[in-house]
Amino acid sequence: MPAIPAWLIEPLWVQFAALLPDRPTYQPTHPLGCHRKRIDDRIVFDKLVQVLRFGCAYEAIADATCSATTIRGRRDEWIELGVFAQLKQIALDAYDRLVGLVLDDIAVDGCITKAPGGGEAAGRSPVDRGKQGMKRSLMVDGYGIPLGRVLAAANRHDSPLLGPTLDHLDDLGPLPQAITVHLDAGYDSQVTRALLAERGLTGEIAHKGDKAPIQASQRWHVERTNSWHNAFNRLQRCYERTEKVIDAFFDLADAIITVRSLIRRAWTLYRWNNRPARRR
């Protein structure tokens, strides 16, 4: 079973490959001139997508075409080059240009997942008997396109993470004059209202003690995006220990989510030569 369908992985790979520097097929400095052929980048990219989607270990996904060491080494090389972050930003810019980000209504929420291996972004989970867990504070636009995230230990409260999460708005260029931030009852405090007022944002915050369905309003977009993220098993049950690797996998997942939404929404807005016969 493919990790993601061909109509989605092909445009991702084309853009990803354009960001990679040229590398010789054989190492030219080898003294005997007989160094083994470099593993093709496309093979490693497909392996990383499989690790992200299925959550399997590198050793389990390795085969005769590519070893686990090569997958990890190429992953770290691409992280140092910033390729994953660039891919996410290019996908976001393309979506904004072709469809348009809904930035006058944004939503922020925290999501706790498992982190059995511990690591830099892990801590005692208050919802899993004190086991190791990770929290992400996620910001999305009015449709659910991921705009930015902050990683923290599972025992961190959502409210202190709101400010660093909203800082990602500075990376989006021109913003609407009026922005409404939709938050759940965990943010219902004077500190949160003061923070939003300092930034010139309007808060639509659920009140503590009231039934959630009555106040759901436009927060369901961020809940749906959290579900999209948790469909990637590497993010739902994270064994990575270093935060930069976790961020790289999140950037790749964000790019997949954004491009998938772009293709689906562009199907009703545009016509092109190889346009699918039906909406994906």
Side-chain angles (χ1 to χ4, degrees), residues 39-256:
I39 303 298
D40 189 77
D41 289 330
R42 176 61 191 270
I43 296 176
V44 182
F45 178 77
D46 287 342
K47 295 292 185 185
L48 285 175
V49 171
Q50 292 173 34
V51 170
L52 172 65
R53 177 63 180 85
F54 301 131
C56 50
Y58 296 103
E59 287 76 9
I61 206 67
D63 54 22
T65 63
C66 183
S67 68
T69 302
T70 300
I71 298 173
R72 292 193 190 94
R74 204 73 59 88
R75 175 204 66 189
D76 293 340
E77 176 186 333
W78 292 342
I79 289 174
E80 293 301 321
L81 292 173
V83 179
F84 294 103
Q86 293 177 55
L87 179 67
K88 174 202 169 183
Q89 189 60 47
I90 291 173
L92 194 63
D93 292 341
Y95 182 94
D96 190 23
R97 185 170 62 254
L98 296 175
V99 177
L101 292 169
V102 183
L103 295 178
D104 51 351
D105 281 296
I106 63 175
V108 178
D109 196 15
C111 179
I112 296 177
T113 56
K114 294 178 180 292
E120 298 174 355
R124 289 175 58 86
S125 175
V127 297
D128 194 18
R129 297 170 292 170
K131 295 180 180 180
Q132 291 293 296
M134 180 179 66
K135 172 175 284 188
R136 61 176 180 268
S137 177
L138 177 67
M139 178 174 63
V140 303
D141 80 331
Y143 180 75
I145 301 301
L147 303 176
R149 89 198 76 83
V150 172
L151 301 179
N155 54 3
R156 291 285 303 278
H157 195 273
D158 290 348
S159 185
L161 301 176
L162 178 60
T165 305
L166 291 175
D167 287 341
H168 289 283
L169 287 173
D170 299 335
D171 302 330
L172 300 177
L175 298 172
Q177 291 185 348
I179 300 178
T180 302
V181 184
H182 299 270
L183 303 167
D184 66 12
Y187 300 89
D188 186 15
S189 68
Q190 190 57 41
V191 175
T192 298
R193 292 182 176 85
L195 174 66
L196 296 176
E198 290 176 3
R199 296 169 179 261
L201 305 173
T202 302
E204 188 71 27
I205 308 174
H207 298 289
K208 295 178 181 178
D210 293 343
K211 292 184 178 180
I214 301 176
Q215 310 177 71
S217 64
Q218 299 185 49
R219 280 193 56 255
W220 68 272
H221 297 101
V222 68
E223 302 290 355
R224 181 179 65 175
T225 306
N226 277 327
S227 296
W228 286 343
H229 275 139
N230 289 339
F232 297 99
N233 289 340
R234 198 66 172 184
L235 307 181
Q236 181 188 31
R237 191 178 182 88
C238 183
Y239 285 92
E240 301 292 350
R241 297 185 56 84
T242 57
E243 190 169 342
K244 66 179 183 179
V245 175
I246 301 172
D247 269 324
F249 276 117
F250 265 107
D251 287 339
L252 182 55
D254 286 350
I256 293 173

